[in-house]
Structures are given as C-alpha cells and as structure tokens.
Amino acid sequence: MMNYYIDVIVPLPLDNLFTYRVNEKEFKFLRIGFRVIVPFGKSKFITAIVANKHNQIPDSYIPKDIEFIIDEECSINDNQLKFIHWISKYYMSPLGQVLKVALPSLLLLKSESEIILTNKIKDFELSDNAELIYQNLILNKKITYREIISILKRKNINKTINELLDNSLIALKEEIYDYFKPKNILKIIFNKKSINNQEKKNLIDSLKNKKSQIKVIETLFSLTENNISIKELIKKCKVSRGTINALIDAKIIEKKYETVDRIQFDIGNKIKTKKLSIDQKQAFNEIVSNFENKSVSLLHGVTSSGKTEIYVKLIEENLKKKNQVLFLVPEIALTTQLIKRLKKYFGNALAVYHSKYSLEQRTEIWKKVIKNDEKARVILGARSSIFLPYDKLRLIIVDEEHENAYKQFNPSPRYHARDSAIYLATIHNAKTLLGSATPSLESYYNAITNKYGLIKLGKRYGNVSMPKIIIKDLKESIVKKTLNGNFSTLLLNSIKETFENHEQVILFQNRRGHSPYLECNSCGFVYQCINCDVSLTYHQSTNELKCHHCGFKERNNTKCKKCFHQTILKKGLGTQQVEEEIKTIFPDLKVKRMDHDSTRRKNSFQEIIDSFEKNDFEILIGTQMLTKGLDFRNVALVGVVNADSLIYFPDFRSQEKCFQLLQQVSGRAGRTKKQGKVVIQTYNPNHNLMDKIVKHDYLGMFNEQLNQRFLFNYPPYTRLIKIVLKHKNLEKLVKASSWLSDALKNYYGDQLLGPESPIIPRINNRYIKNILIKIPINKNLTKSKELLAKGLKSFKSISFFRNIDILIDVDPYN
C-alpha cells in the first residue's frame, strides 16, 4: 500500500520542514503553497504551508495526519516560496520565521482553547474567580481563554482554570478560527430592476401621508444606479432606520450585501502621463537599452530631475502588457504624495501596501496580487511589499535606493529590501531599476564596474538651478554673540526674507524630542534610563523624560534627583526645542513639526503634507523623514540647524550618510523656477565633506570614501556579518562572547573583529557584545556562512551558554 506524505513549513522560528500524512485523495488535491491545518505539539493546531509532496516515511518519527485543508487555490505561489527559502538562507534566519513575517497574520489560522461546561451540578465552594467563570459557563455553555482574561481583568488565569478542571466541571477544546473576512456593505435596491413613471406615481400615492418613506423613494428614484448603502441613504434622507425597515417589510425595497475593497482612494478622473523632457526621454531610452543586456540599472538623477516621471513611463509600458510592477519606497511618509500622483495616472490599477494599513487591508491586497487582479497591477509599498505573492512581476523600481530604511533590523529576518528585490526580480525574470540623487557606495560601485547599467540625469527638470548651499560657522556666531537660541543671524534673516516673499521654509534637525538629555548644573547628574545605558530625552509637550530604546518614561521634576537643587539644564537639541524657539522668534508664523512623535496617528503624515502643500503654514520642522523625496513646490529655503551629529557618528558609513542626508534635504528647496537656498549650521565648517556638499560633488565624496573603504576592508570590498550577543548578566556575556570569538577565529582569523561593546552597551536591561566578520569579496560567502553556522551550533551545545540571545545580521546597515 502506497503511503502519502507532505512536508510543511510552520510559522515558528524553526528551520526544519515537518512531515505529515495525508490520504490519496488529499495528496492528489494538494499543491505546493496550499495552507493546511496540522496538529503541532501536545494539543495545538497551527497553519502550515505545503512545501513538498512525497512517499518517503521519516526515519525518526511517525507522522501525524493533517487536520484539514484550508485552500482551494494556493496562498503562496512557487516563486514566492523560492524567495522565502532564499531570504532564510541568505540572511541566516529560520525558515518558519521568514514565513511568519512574509504572510499577513490573518492568513495564518490559529487554534484557540475553549472552555466547555461538562457538569452543571456542584455541591462545594469555589473561589470567587472560579465561581464567576462557572456561572458564565452555565449561561453560555462555552467560553474562550481571551474572554476569561477580559472577564477577570487579569492575564494570569491558569489557577482559575486548574481549579475548575480539578473539580471536573469543565473540559478544554481547541477550535480553529479564520480571522479574515471580506468587507461587506449593506445596500438598498428597488425590488424591481426597472420601474416606469406611472408605477413610480402609483407607488408614491400608495404611501399616502408617510412623508419620510416618500422621501426615501424619491431619493432612490434620483440615483443613476439602483443601489446605495444603507448608511448613505439614512444620511441623505435624514430618516431613521425604522423608516427603511418599513419599506423593506412592505417589499417595496430590498437589502443586499456587496463586497467592497477596504482601501479606496478618491482621486478623481485619470489623466494622461506627462510628456518627457529631452533629458528625461534620453534617460528613459538608456534604461530600456540597458535592460536588454542587464537585469539591474541605476538611475543617478539629481534632486528634482524628474525621476518619478521616468518611472511612470516604465510602469505605463508594463501595464499595457498586463504585467505587475513593484514600486518600493523607503518610508510610509513618501507614499502620501506618490499615491496622489500615481492614482491620477493609473487609477484602480494601483494598490498600496505597508504596515500602517490594517491586517484586513493587507490580506485583501495579498489575495489580489496572487491572482494578478487588475486592481493590483502596480504595488506601491514599503519594504514588506517584497513578500507579496506576485504572479506576473516584470519590473521593480527601488526609489531612494540609498536609504537605510530599506533595512529590517528587528525582528528577524534582518533583510535589506533593495538587495532582496534584486533577487526577487531574478526569480521572476524581471528588471530592477534603482533610483537616487545620492546612490549608496555599493550600488554606484556596481554600476561603474559594469555589474549594473548606469544612467545619469545631471540637470533639474526645467533647467532649474541646484540650490545654493551656504555653510554657517556657529563658533563665529558665538564669538560675535549673534546667536539667538540655536539660530544664527544668517538663518533667521533668510527665514524672514522667505516669509516676506510668501514662500515656505523647511528646518531639519535629526533628533526628535526637546533636549537629548538633562543635566544638573550643581552636581553634574544626568538623567539616565533605568533599563538602558543611555540618557533620557526630554519631551516638552508631555513634560516627560523618555528612552527612545526601551520606551521607559518618567515625569520631569524641576529639582535634581541627587542634590535636590533647582539647577536642571536642558542640553542638546531636538525638534521640539527648534519648534519652541522658532515660535518665540516668529510669533506670527504658523509652524508644524513632522517627526516620529507628531505622526503616530494613521493619517497624520498625509494631513501634515497636504496642509504644507496648500500653504496652510509657513515652516515645517522635522527629522530625516523630511529628506525622502517629498516634493513641495513653494519651499525656497532649507535650514539645517546642526549638522555635526551626522558627521561624527561612529560608523564607517557616517560621512556617506551625512552627505546623502544633507544633499537630500537641500533638494527640497527651489524645485520650480527660482533657485533655492540652503543654510547649514555647523561648528566644523572646514571639514572636507562640507566643501563637497556645497559643490553637490557626489563623485568627490564617492572616490574619497571608496579609498577609505579599500584601506580598512569595508564594503564594497568585503561582505559583513554581525553577530550580536545579549544577556542580563554581564560577566556571563563576556565569557560567552569571548568563547565564541575564539572559536570563530579558527575559521576567519584576522577577518573577525571583537567582541566589542556597542555605543549603547545595555538596552532593556540586557548587556550587548558585537562580533563583526569581514568576508573578502572573492571568498565564497555561502561557505563562510556554513562555517559560522557550525561555530554557532558548537556554542549552543554548551549548556552554560544556552540562554544567551544571539542575533545574526548579514549585510548590517547602521
């Protein structure tokens, strides 16, 4: 007798495939990528994805039977399954963990324990909590764990459950729940498909003096289509639900449920795409030509050169062929303006996918993408959109490709969306276009060494001049005593002049909060986080001290904790302090702030950006989210309040990132006809990077940094793997990290650095040690990872080290 088995991936941090038994009928029906419910562990059921079908019984265990098959069509297609396997292998992350991150959680059906009443009769006393649950069960027969937590208002309910179990009053049962449901709207229609004028008159006459019902009927007559949602109808007619129900009972109208999209945009009529300028047309033709020989091309176009219009033309060409296009952006904030622009061109063909959308909305898009639905041919999304199950993907555009926001830091897998997108395109036989005014050193190096195609756009659209950048020496302002708070006279006069010309200003400070730390002027005490080795940031809006690493916060007190003197000084500079000072200096100007604190609400990005576009306020203050491709037509001045923290950050990428940030934020100025102006305040005006920023000299920065990378063996001349070890006991962590470092040096020798403590050596009460491995570009990366995996396996086999947390970060981006 033939045996039938499937191997499945479970959405847990496990690398193994698990084998289950199926019958012949199930075996023939199942396909790779189907979801099945399987028993896992002692009593749980879990959703798993079919990864393989075979007839080979496992050697080490007897397979269990599957519980049931969820899908009739695949939830993950072959190409997406290949991609998940690649992410797992390349970024050294468990396969099940990648699956968990890749799939919307609503597609992962879960079992939930239910409590069932087995005995209504009892002649003994129960505790108050157990009695409360028991009485609830008498009324409802069954209850879930989640409902018990809600009733008792506590999470620790095991004692109560065990008391009921021990007295044989209840039993436990696992139920499977599918959490995704399509969105249905209740609509009202006439019970006849068509109705003539005489029938209309007779109908109204039959209602006699029922004015509200007549109003509803006349409203329905006035509609061009014979349906309207019940909410809209009640609002339009200003009647009660009872009036609608009376007409339904009289069988004059009827109700029906209609499935609708959860994400809808009201953009108006579609418009034709813009005609490309001569330079844009030349760049477009070069991209098309490069794609004939190379699968990846880099578009190096200065800020406001019109890269988006080139993207639009490439998308248009693919939509004619009913292909899918993925348009990646680094930040959710960027999608706000792009949605408007792309919706006007592509209408319902555009779908948006990012973490700010609800699970239901993301699941809905997932289901459209796998079917190549015409409403999801163009996907505009942040990094997680690379995991969608594309059916006919032919083009990937990675805008602002240099941004480290494309890097996933936590949780695992710690993938880089740009690099992963290039491999995703390879699987689909698609093309990848990287775009940036300040490309990453690695991408530009790949382009000049002929691995990628290179296309340049050196002029702004409409031949508008690049912004004039002025470096202001803050030391000079201090000596001359011309500083007003944190602002030089030059910057303040520039703001005043811009306002008088009815133009707008952007002020950039790459630190949120009010002040990075508070210090006592009497004893030198600095307020520190109790969980992390870092100072607390002062937030004036809530009068709180907050840790931006673990979330700890406490109320601010005017007296020093240590010496009790009222000599607390605010040190450093954050966006809230910039906002406060500007409002004091320019009380007549309207000011808004855009940072992580001010954009927590779902639509807050869009509200701020829309308001600024409409000239509702004059000054926008923000962090680096301001630098990422936003297009404001009336901004004439950009002020960088303090550039020094960017230059001296202890990271081999710091100068590259500083150049990129300052060039990008400068690019927000003067994007129409008039040349923009940028004032960069610094205590180090003679730093060699400042000269390159003033001259917009990307190549100068690139060559200088490339030489530095070559001298010290950093990318693009090496590949990096960072190993992060964490534990609450520092002594144990030191021993563990030293042991692992010594063991790995047997494989890597001088290529291994560390263990070292990072800038912040303790976060959330856990100490941290880092080990860095540099792998020369000519060495086999796969073999190097295998050696690392072997070393880690030996490390984990030692019982003393088992509770040390280890994170692997391939291609780390700080």
Side-chain angles (χ1 to χ4, degrees), residues 109-133:
L109 276 65
K110 296 175 184 175
S111 66
E112 187 170 303
S113 294
E114 285 188 331
I115 315 299
I116 300 166
L117 186 67
T118 56
N119 189 358
K120 281 188 179 182
I121 301 167
K122 74 171 179 72
D123 53 3
F124 47 84
E125 291 290 321
L126 290 172
S127 68
D128 291 346
N129 285 337
E131 184 67 36
L132 185 61
I133 300 306

PDB file of all heavy atoms in Angstrom, residues 109-133:
ATOM      1  N   LEU A 109      -4.327  30.866  10.099  1.00  0.00           N
ATOM      2  CA  LEU A 109      -5.396  30.489  11.022  1.00  0.00           C
ATOM      3  C   LEU A 109      -4.794  29.920  12.293  1.00  0.00           C
ATOM      4  O   LEU A 109      -3.779  29.243  12.265  1.00  0.00           O
ATOM      5  CB  LEU A 109      -6.307  29.432  10.385  1.00  0.00           C
ATOM      6  CG  LEU A 109      -7.422  29.937   9.460  1.00  0.00           C
ATOM      7  CD1 LEU A 109      -6.861  30.583   8.230  1.00  0.00           C
ATOM      8  CD2 LEU A 109      -8.345  28.792   9.088  1.00  0.00           C
ATOM      9  N   LYS A 110      -5.450  30.195  13.417  1.00  0.00           N
ATOM     10  CA  LYS A 110      -4.920  29.745  14.701  1.00  0.00           C
ATOM     11  C   LYS A 110      -5.990  28.988  15.467  1.00  0.00           C
ATOM     12  O   LYS A 110      -7.176  29.217  15.297  1.00  0.00           O
ATOM     13  CB  LYS A 110      -4.454  30.950  15.529  1.00  0.00           C
ATOM     14  CG  LYS A 110      -3.298  31.700  14.902  1.00  0.00           C
ATOM     15  CD  LYS A 110      -2.986  32.931  15.711  1.00  0.00           C
ATOM     16  CE  LYS A 110      -1.887  33.749  15.034  1.00  0.00           C
ATOM     17  NZ  LYS A 110      -1.635  35.011  15.723  1.00  0.00           N
ATOM     18  N   SER A 111      -5.502  28.109  16.319  1.00  0.00           N
ATOM     19  CA  SER A 111      -6.435  27.443  17.219  1.00  0.00           C
ATOM     20  C   SER A 111      -6.529  28.258  18.496  1.00  0.00           C
ATOM     21  O   SER A 111      -5.571  28.894  18.900  1.00  0.00           O
ATOM     22  CB  SER A 111      -5.964  26.025  17.545  1.00  0.00           C
ATOM     23  OG  SER A 111      -4.776  26.053  18.272  1.00  0.00           O
ATOM     24  N   GLU A 112      -7.687  28.224  19.100  1.00  0.00           N
ATOM     25  CA  GLU A 112      -7.873  28.948  20.357  1.00  0.00           C
ATOM     26  C   GLU A 112      -8.581  28.024  21.332  1.00  0.00           C
ATOM     27  O   GLU A 112      -9.603  27.424  21.005  1.00  0.00           O
ATOM     28  CB  GLU A 112      -8.707  30.208  20.115  1.00  0.00           C
ATOM     29  CG  GLU A 112      -8.797  31.088  21.340  1.00  0.00           C
ATOM     30  CD  GLU A 112      -9.412  32.438  21.010  1.00  0.00           C
ATOM     31  OE1 GLU A 112      -8.893  33.140  20.146  1.00  0.00           O
ATOM     32  OE2 GLU A 112     -10.430  32.766  21.628  1.00  0.00           O
ATOM     33  N   SER A 113      -8.021  27.891  22.507  1.00  0.00           N
ATOM     34  CA  SER A 113      -8.605  26.983  23.503  1.00  0.00           C
ATOM     35  C   SER A 113      -9.949  27.518  23.982  1.00  0.00           C
ATOM     36  O   SER A 113     -10.084  28.698  24.297  1.00  0.00           O
ATOM     37  CB  SER A 113      -7.658  26.831  24.693  1.00  0.00           C
ATOM     38  OG  SER A 113      -6.485  26.177  24.295  1.00  0.00           O
ATOM     39  N   GLU A 114     -10.920  26.625  24.005  1.00  0.00           N
ATOM     40  CA  GLU A 114     -12.241  26.973  24.535  1.00  0.00           C
ATOM     41  C   GLU A 114     -12.500  26.139  25.784  1.00  0.00           C
ATOM     42  O   GLU A 114     -12.079  24.983  25.889  1.00  0.00           O
ATOM     43  CB  GLU A 114     -13.338  26.674  23.507  1.00  0.00           C
ATOM     44  CG  GLU A 114     -13.372  27.689  22.380  1.00  0.00           C
ATOM     45  CD  GLU A 114     -14.586  27.487  21.480  1.00  0.00           C
ATOM     46  OE1 GLU A 114     -15.069  26.348  21.349  1.00  0.00           O
ATOM     47  OE2 GLU A 114     -15.051  28.484  20.917  1.00  0.00           O
ATOM     48  N   ILE A 115     -13.193  26.749  26.724  1.00  0.00           N
ATOM     49  CA  ILE A 115     -13.583  26.067  27.958  1.00  0.00           C
ATOM     50  C   ILE A 115     -15.041  25.655  27.802  1.00  0.00           C
ATOM     51  O   ILE A 115     -15.902  26.488  27.518  1.00  0.00           O
ATOM     52  CB  ILE A 115     -13.441  26.996  29.190  1.00  0.00           C
ATOM     53  CG1 ILE A 115     -12.107  27.746  29.150  1.00  0.00           C
ATOM     54  CG2 ILE A 115     -13.629  26.222  30.471  1.00  0.00           C
ATOM     55  CD1 ILE A 115     -10.899  26.884  29.182  1.00  0.00           C
ATOM     56  N   ILE A 116     -15.322  24.356  27.978  1.00  0.00           N
ATOM     57  CA  ILE A 116     -16.681  23.834  27.810  1.00  0.00           C
ATOM     58  C   ILE A 116     -17.178  23.308  29.156  1.00  0.00           C
ATOM     59  O   ILE A 116     -16.448  22.602  29.879  1.00  0.00           O
ATOM     60  CB  ILE A 116     -16.707  22.701  26.764  1.00  0.00           C
ATOM     61  CG1 ILE A 116     -16.228  23.231  25.424  1.00  0.00           C
ATOM     62  CG2 ILE A 116     -18.103  22.113  26.622  1.00  0.00           C
ATOM     63  CD1 ILE A 116     -15.901  22.161  24.444  1.00  0.00           C
ATOM     64  N   LEU A 117     -18.416  23.648  29.493  1.00  0.00           N
ATOM     65  CA  LEU A 117     -19.008  23.170  30.748  1.00  0.00           C
ATOM     66  C   LEU A 117     -19.369  21.695  30.617  1.00  0.00           C
ATOM     67  O   LEU A 117     -20.053  21.292  29.671  1.00  0.00           O
ATOM     68  CB  LEU A 117     -20.261  23.995  31.075  1.00  0.00           C
ATOM     69  CG  LEU A 117     -20.921  23.724  32.417  1.00  0.00           C
ATOM     70  CD1 LEU A 117     -20.016  24.169  33.561  1.00  0.00           C
ATOM     71  CD2 LEU A 117     -22.265  24.438  32.513  1.00  0.00           C
ATOM     72  N   THR A 118     -18.900  20.864  31.548  1.00  0.00           N
ATOM     73  CA  THR A 118     -19.194  19.419  31.498  1.00  0.00           C
ATOM     74  C   THR A 118     -20.128  18.969  32.614  1.00  0.00           C
ATOM     75  O   THR A 118     -20.697  17.885  32.556  1.00  0.00           O
ATOM     76  CB  THR A 118     -17.886  18.603  31.586  1.00  0.00           C
ATOM     77  OG1 THR A 118     -17.187  18.981  32.768  1.00  0.00           O
ATOM     78  CG2 THR A 118     -17.020  18.857  30.364  1.00  0.00           C
ATOM     79  N   ASN A 119     -20.274  19.804  33.661  1.00  0.00           N
ATOM     80  CA  ASN A 119     -21.110  19.394  34.801  1.00  0.00           C
ATOM     81  C   ASN A 119     -21.771  20.625  35.416  1.00  0.00           C
ATOM     82  O   ASN A 119     -21.096  21.526  35.886  1.00  0.00           O
ATOM     83  CB  ASN A 119     -20.244  18.686  35.844  1.00  0.00           C
ATOM     84  CG  ASN A 119     -21.081  18.045  36.947  1.00  0.00           C
ATOM     85  OD1 ASN A 119     -22.310  18.161  36.957  1.00  0.00           O
ATOM     86  ND2 ASN A 119     -20.408  17.379  37.872  1.00  0.00           N
ATOM     87  N   LYS A 120     -23.109  20.672  35.376  1.00  0.00           N
ATOM     88  CA  LYS A 120     -23.832  21.822  35.932  1.00  0.00           C
ATOM     89  C   LYS A 120     -24.052  21.696  37.443  1.00  0.00           C
ATOM     90  O   LYS A 120     -24.435  22.658  38.098  1.00  0.00           O
ATOM     91  CB  LYS A 120     -25.207  21.954  35.252  1.00  0.00           C
ATOM     92  CG  LYS A 120     -25.149  22.588  33.877  1.00  0.00           C
ATOM     93  CD  LYS A 120     -26.563  22.837  33.390  1.00  0.00           C
ATOM     94  CE  LYS A 120     -26.548  23.496  32.026  1.00  0.00           C
ATOM     95  NZ  LYS A 120     -27.917  23.790  31.544  1.00  0.00           N
ATOM     96  N   ILE A 121     -23.856  20.495  37.967  1.00  0.00           N
ATOM     97  CA  ILE A 121     -24.176  20.256  39.380  1.00  0.00           C
ATOM     98  C   ILE A 121     -22.890  20.289  40.209  1.00  0.00           C
ATOM     99  O   ILE A 121     -21.923  19.593  39.901  1.00  0.00           O
ATOM    100  CB  ILE A 121     -24.877  18.897  39.567  1.00  0.00           C
ATOM    101  CG1 ILE A 121     -26.167  18.876  38.732  1.00  0.00           C
ATOM    102  CG2 ILE A 121     -25.166  18.624  41.026  1.00  0.00           C
ATOM    103  CD1 ILE A 121     -26.770  17.506  38.588  1.00  0.00           C
ATOM    104  N   LYS A 122     -22.896  21.095  41.285  1.00  0.00           N
ATOM    105  CA  LYS A 122     -21.763  21.119  42.228  1.00  0.00           C
ATOM    106  C   LYS A 122     -22.297  21.379  43.638  1.00  0.00           C
ATOM    107  O   LYS A 122     -23.268  22.104  43.828  1.00  0.00           O
ATOM    108  CB  LYS A 122     -20.745  22.201  41.826  1.00  0.00           C
ATOM    109  CG  LYS A 122     -21.174  23.626  42.095  1.00  0.00           C
ATOM    110  CD  LYS A 122     -20.027  24.572  41.858  1.00  0.00           C
ATOM    111  CE  LYS A 122     -20.466  26.006  42.099  1.00  0.00           C
ATOM    112  NZ  LYS A 122     -20.676  26.296  43.523  1.00  0.00           N
ATOM    113  N   ASP A 123     -21.690  20.721  44.590  1.00  0.00           N
ATOM    114  CA  ASP A 123     -22.104  20.916  45.993  1.00  0.00           C
ATOM    115  C   ASP A 123     -20.897  21.279  46.854  1.00  0.00           C
ATOM    116  O   ASP A 123     -20.710  20.759  47.943  1.00  0.00           O
ATOM    117  CB  ASP A 123     -22.797  19.651  46.536  1.00  0.00           C
ATOM    118  CG  ASP A 123     -21.939  18.421  46.329  1.00  0.00           C
ATOM    119  OD1 ASP A 123     -20.793  18.586  45.829  1.00  0.00           O
ATOM    120  OD2 ASP A 123     -22.386  17.321  46.673  1.00  0.00           O
ATOM    121  N   PHE A 124     -20.052  22.164  46.302  1.00  0.00           N
ATOM    122  CA  PHE A 124     -18.849  22.590  47.031  1.00  0.00           C
ATOM    123  C   PHE A 124     -18.562  24.042  46.673  1.00  0.00           C
ATOM    124  O   PHE A 124     -19.095  24.573  45.699  1.00  0.00           O
ATOM    125  CB  PHE A 124     -17.648  21.695  46.689  1.00  0.00           C
ATOM    126  CG  PHE A 124     -17.472  21.455  45.217  1.00  0.00           C
ATOM    127  CD1 PHE A 124     -16.791  22.373  44.420  1.00  0.00           C
ATOM    128  CD2 PHE A 124     -18.011  20.320  44.614  1.00  0.00           C
ATOM    129  CE1 PHE A 124     -16.642  22.161  43.073  1.00  0.00           C
ATOM    130  CE2 PHE A 124     -17.858  20.110  43.264  1.00  0.00           C
ATOM    131  CZ  PHE A 124     -17.174  21.034  42.484  1.00  0.00           C
ATOM    132  N   GLU A 125     -17.723  24.676  47.457  1.00  0.00           N
ATOM    133  CA  GLU A 125     -17.384  26.089  47.267  1.00  0.00           C
ATOM    134  C   GLU A 125     -16.251  26.243  46.246  1.00  0.00           C
ATOM    135  O   GLU A 125     -15.316  25.447  46.213  1.00  0.00           O
ATOM    136  CB  GLU A 125     -16.945  26.703  48.598  1.00  0.00           C
ATOM    137  CG  GLU A 125     -18.054  26.842  49.616  1.00  0.00           C
ATOM    138  CD  GLU A 125     -19.070  27.908  49.226  1.00  0.00           C
ATOM    139  OE1 GLU A 125     -18.651  28.964  48.709  1.00  0.00           O
ATOM    140  OE2 GLU A 125     -20.278  27.670  49.427  1.00  0.00           O
ATOM    141  N   LEU A 126     -16.359  27.277  45.427  1.00  0.00           N
ATOM    142  CA  LEU A 126     -15.283  27.653  44.507  1.00  0.00           C
ATOM    143  C   LEU A 126     -14.748  29.021  44.914  1.00  0.00           C
ATOM    144  O   LEU A 126     -15.427  29.792  45.587  1.00  0.00           O
ATOM    145  CB  LEU A 126     -15.810  27.732  43.067  1.00  0.00           C
ATOM    146  CG  LEU A 126     -16.199  26.424  42.376  1.00  0.00           C
ATOM    147  CD1 LEU A 126     -16.880  26.739  41.047  1.00  0.00           C
ATOM    148  CD2 LEU A 126     -14.993  25.527  42.142  1.00  0.00           C
ATOM    149  N   SER A 127     -13.555  29.337  44.474  1.00  0.00           N
ATOM    150  CA  SER A 127     -13.026  30.690  44.701  1.00  0.00           C
ATOM    151  C   SER A 127     -13.886  31.681  43.923  1.00  0.00           C
ATOM    152  O   SER A 127     -14.644  31.293  43.025  1.00  0.00           O
ATOM    153  CB  SER A 127     -11.572  30.774  44.234  1.00  0.00           C
ATOM    154  OG  SER A 127     -11.522  30.647  42.826  1.00  0.00           O
ATOM    155  N   ASP A 128     -13.774  32.955  44.250  1.00  0.00           N
ATOM    156  CA  ASP A 128     -14.598  33.980  43.594  1.00  0.00           C
ATOM    157  C   ASP A 128     -14.394  33.979  42.063  1.00  0.00           C
ATOM    158  O   ASP A 128     -15.365  34.038  41.312  1.00  0.00           O
ATOM    159  CB  ASP A 128     -14.240  35.370  44.152  1.00  0.00           C
ATOM    160  CG  ASP A 128     -14.694  35.531  45.594  1.00  0.00           C
ATOM    161  OD1 ASP A 128     -15.504  34.703  46.053  1.00  0.00           O
ATOM    162  OD2 ASP A 128     -14.233  36.487  46.256  1.00  0.00           O
ATOM    163  N   ASN A 129     -13.154  33.896  41.629  1.00  0.00           N
ATOM    164  CA  ASN A 129     -12.874  33.919  40.189  1.00  0.00           C
ATOM    165  C   ASN A 129     -13.429  32.686  39.493  1.00  0.00           C
ATOM    166  O   ASN A 129     -14.036  32.773  38.418  1.00  0.00           O
ATOM    167  CB  ASN A 129     -11.362  34.018  39.927  1.00  0.00           C
ATOM    168  CG  ASN A 129     -10.834  35.409  40.202  1.00  0.00           C
ATOM    169  OD1 ASN A 129     -11.589  36.384  40.181  1.00  0.00           O
ATOM    170  ND2 ASN A 129      -9.538  35.521  40.468  1.00  0.00           N
ATOM    171  N   ALA A 130     -13.234  31.517  40.117  1.00  0.00           N
ATOM    172  CA  ALA A 130     -13.730  30.274  39.521  1.00  0.00           C
ATOM    173  C   ALA A 130     -15.257  30.276  39.476  1.00  0.00           C
ATOM    174  O   ALA A 130     -15.867  29.823  38.492  1.00  0.00           O
ATOM    175  CB  ALA A 130     -13.214  29.073  40.314  1.00  0.00           C
ATOM    176  N   GLU A 131     -15.890  30.789  40.519  1.00  0.00           N
ATOM    177  CA  GLU A 131     -17.359  30.862  40.567  1.00  0.00           C
ATOM    178  C   GLU A 131     -17.882  31.780  39.462  1.00  0.00           C
ATOM    179  O   GLU A 131     -18.893  31.478  38.811  1.00  0.00           O
ATOM    180  CB  GLU A 131     -17.808  31.357  41.946  1.00  0.00           C
ATOM    181  CG  GLU A 131     -19.322  31.381  42.150  1.00  0.00           C
ATOM    182  CD  GLU A 131     -19.932  29.990  42.178  1.00  0.00           C
ATOM    183  OE1 GLU A 131     -19.295  29.043  42.701  1.00  0.00           O
ATOM    184  OE2 GLU A 131     -21.049  29.843  41.647  1.00  0.00           O
ATOM    185  N   LEU A 132     -17.192  32.893  39.246  1.00  0.00           N
ATOM    186  CA  LEU A 132     -17.598  33.839  38.204  1.00  0.00           C
ATOM    187  C   LEU A 132     -17.570  33.183  36.817  1.00  0.00           C
ATOM    188  O   LEU A 132     -18.509  33.325  36.027  1.00  0.00           O
ATOM    189  CB  LEU A 132     -16.658  35.059  38.231  1.00  0.00           C
ATOM    190  CG  LEU A 132     -16.990  36.214  37.286  1.00  0.00           C
ATOM    191  CD1 LEU A 132     -18.366  36.800  37.590  1.00  0.00           C
ATOM    192  CD2 LEU A 132     -15.924  37.311  37.403  1.00  0.00           C
ATOM    193  N   ILE A 133     -16.518  32.446  36.541  1.00  0.00           N
ATOM    194  CA  ILE A 133     -16.403  31.756  35.247  1.00  0.00           C
ATOM    195  C   ILE A 133     -17.430  30.632  35.153  1.00  0.00           C
ATOM    196  O   ILE A 133     -18.054  30.428  34.105  1.00  0.00           O
ATOM    197  CB  ILE A 133     -14.968  31.218  35.052  1.00  0.00           C
ATOM    198  CG1 ILE A 133     -13.952  32.367  35.074  1.00  0.00           C
ATOM    199  CG2 ILE A 133     -14.850  30.444  33.742  1.00  0.00           C
ATOM    200  CD1 ILE A 133     -14.224  33.493  34.100  1.00  0.00           C
TER     201      ILE A 133
END
